[in-house]
Amino acid sequence: MVLKKFSKGIRQFCGLGTRATFICQTDPVDTPLLSAADKSSVPVWATGGRIQLSIENYAECISIAHPHAYQAPTDNETSLPVAKTSGRKRCGNSVLRTKSYLELLSAYRERNVELSKIPVFLSPGGGNDPEWRLTAVEETDFSIASGVVLDGFHSGHEESTNGQIADKNDPSLFSLLPAVCKKLPPDLPRFLTGVWQPPDIVLATKCGVDVFDGSLPYRLTRSALAWIYPGWDGCHTTDTNNATRVCAHRPYIAFPLDDSAADSTSVLYTAPIQSGCTCFSCQRHTQGYISHLHIAGEMLGPMLLMIHNSHLYYRFFEDLRLAARTNRLDEFLRFVEPLRFPRELLAVDKTNESKSASASSLDRTT
């Protein structure tokens, strides 16, 4: 293993400087699917699919990576409706398996001094089933925990009869979160994974969640989308009651640009992704250039989009923190509600298309 030979941890290996590093069991972009599980192996979901690790292997990976904190292993393959009998039974099994994982991890921590020094975020199971989820929280010993990861929820995004993906909030998730957060130790940060739509993040914040994953910029970039977010004070449209501001813009630009904007003399072609944005991409490059990079399959195209999308993601959270501090979360929620991205659009991985285009170009030159 390269990281093991490097021996200085994942933060230095990736050149992250003083930035905090946290290791999750599951890539937040991928939803764990229901699969066969057992009490002694941990299901890890990454871009390559499902990997089964023993508790010892999981703990060894954490010790080698040496992050600032990590998620304790959990059975999070519960992303299915609890209305089904099989769903509720699966949620119950996840609680039992997660307790078994934690017992094994605790024993391993006692034998491994380095691992015992790394803060751990516990992750009670239970899926979306209220009874099992609350039981898991009540029966978990949080004495060794530095935080909590809320994982394994059913998102509520299912295929409809016409094959489209319905983009809606799962009411059971947002009705369950306040009860779960109320049961958790008040001094521990609550980290919710798998929730990335801006309105859903605000809803979860209202429910008591503190930390979210940073997958949205990657999701947008992977689908060649640039986020358009003028900021909470960037839109001045008011409703009929003059009580709230709502952003009326479409929240994204798709690359490469369509034919109507591909003319080099058009305003869109020569403009930055977002007027007034202070990110490197908008300060140095135009939509036309970024569109050209995507057409040519150049790696720089996604890199510039990632810079821009990450910049606006940070700005969104600055606004969210301001809304929380000033008790205006309801107003902010109304503002961001139109900023919901179509899931079917974000399901497209255009980075693979770029790789294919680059490979084809290389083949032609050789």
Side-chain angles (χ1 to χ4, degrees), residues 196-203 205 212 216 227 229 231-232 309-323 332 335-336 339:
W196 48 270
Q197 293 277 16
D200 293 348
I201 290 175
V202 180
L203 279 172
T205 302
F212 300 86
L216 179 57
W227 194 5
Y229 179 73
W232 197 12
N309 290 329
S310 297
H311 180 82
L312 291 190
Y313 197 56
Y314 299 145
R315 184 176 180 183
F316 163 76
F317 273 98
E318 288 176 0
D319 289 344
L320 176 59
R321 286 190 287 269
L322 173 62
F332 187 56
F335 170 75
V336 300
L339 306 181

Side-chain angles (χ1 to χ4, degrees), residues 292-348:
H292 159 73
L293 293 174
H294 279 82
I295 292 172
E298 292 287 348
M299 185 186 299
L300 182 57
M303 290 173 66
L304 292 175
L305 280 191
M306 189 67 178
I307 291 172
H308 170 78
N309 290 329
S310 297
H311 180 82
L312 291 190
Y313 197 56
Y314 299 145
R315 184 176 180 183
F316 163 76
F317 273 98
E318 288 176 0
D319 289 344
L320 176 59
R321 286 190 287 269
L322 173 62
R325 286 197 306 269
T326 56
N327 296 317
R328 297 159 66 196
L329 283 173
D330 288 331
E331 180 185 343
F332 187 56
L333 177 59
R334 290 192 292 270
F335 170 75
V336 300
E337 187 57 47
L339 306 181
R340 190 177 290 278
F341 300 97
R343 288 181 67 92
E344 62 271 15
L345 197 60
L346 268 66
V348 178

Side-chain angles (χ1 to χ4, degrees), residues 61-77:
C61 289
I62 299 299
S63 298
I64 293 171
H66 205 84
H68 286 94
Y70 68 98
Q71 178 184 1
T74 180
D75 180 4
N76 57 4
E77 296 178 350

Side-chain angles (χ1 to χ4, degrees), residues 67 129 160 186 259 272 316 330 366:
D129 185 84
S160 60
D259 294 338
F316 163 76
D330 288 331
T366 55

